[in-house]
Amino acid sequence: MKPVTIILTLLMMFVGGAAEAETVRTTDGRTIILNKDGTYQILKDKPKIEYQSVDMNNLNLNAEKWVEKKVKLNGFLKVVGTRGDSGSISNTLSRSISFRTDLSSIAGATKRRLQNECKLQCRILLTGKFLKDGVFDYKIVVDEVVFP
């Protein structure tokens, strides 16, 4: 009876081990399941939330529609404050339409460039989340700034 128990135990270990798979993430961000039999399966990544391009006039006229959405916006940025954590983006140099910007998530070389080049104004493309800021005001929490 003992040899049968040993064989069954070994068989269960072998079958159980063959069913296990290892999950790895590649350097480019893909997730792959590596099966014990040498096969693999590439998992589809969750779709990234895309930014919606919008112009300043549309954003101004339809602000409520854009609240809580990820936006991509061209404009003129003016950085205020000594730390460079806030500013405003406008549609033209004359600043006829503008929104407050929260730049606190921007770091490193981009932050230094903003502080140096955008004290008066500079042309940029930004991505971020458009939010309500008080009763009548709005702001953009900036995720990324690109200089043209």
Side-chain angles (χ1 to χ4, degrees):
M1 198 71 155
K2 275 191 169 182
V4 172
T5 305
I6 293 172
I7 290 174
L8 284 174
T9 304
L10 289 173
L11 185 59
M12 294 293 276
M13 287 174 48
F14 178 75
V15 171
E20 291 180 27
E22 182 179 354
T23 302
V24 297
R25 183 167 293 274
T26 63
T27 56
D28 65 357
R30 293 181 295 160
T31 303
I32 301 175
I33 297 176
L34 303 173
N35 300 314
K36 294 286 183 183
D37 64 0
T39 61
Y40 63 92
Q41 178 185 4
I42 299 174
L43 298 180
K44 292 190 177 190
D45 291 331
K46 293 179 185 174
K48 294 180 182 177
I49 296 173
E50 295 293 324
Y51 294 95
Q52 297 178 24
S53 292
V54 61
D55 65 56
M56 293 289 287
N57 292 326
N58 186 341
L59 198 58
N60 187 49
L61 293 172
N62 302 297
E64 283 298 319
K65 172 189 166 220
W66 291 98
V67 171
E68 296 291 330
K69 294 195 177 164
K70 298 266 191 172
V71 296
K72 182 188 295 186
L73 184 63
N74 281 300
F76 294 91
L77 182 70
K78 179 178 181 179
V79 175
V80 296
T82 56
R83 292 184 12 214
D85 285 342
S86 62
S88 65
I89 186 166
S90 62
N91 61 334
T92 64
L93 290 171
S94 65
R95 308 189 68 72
S96 58
I97 299 172
S98 65
F99 294 100
R100 195 169 73 77
T101 56
D102 177 343
L103 302 164
S104 59
S105 66
I106 305 299
T110 303
K111 174 77 120 212
R112 286 188 296 280
R113 187 170 177 190
L114 286 172
Q115 290 171 317
N116 292 333
E117 297 180 22
C118 301
K119 288 288 185 193
L120 297 174
Q121 284 190 105
C122 63
R123 187 156 192 60
I124 53 97
L125 167 70
L126 68 75
T127 56
K129 192 170 190 178
F130 190 71
L131 300 173
K132 190 123 175 130
D133 188 28
V135 178
F136 299 108
D137 292 325
Y138 301 91
K139 71 177 178 181
I140 302 168
V141 177
V142 179
D143 295 327
E144 182 181 24
V145 174
V146 178
F147 294 88

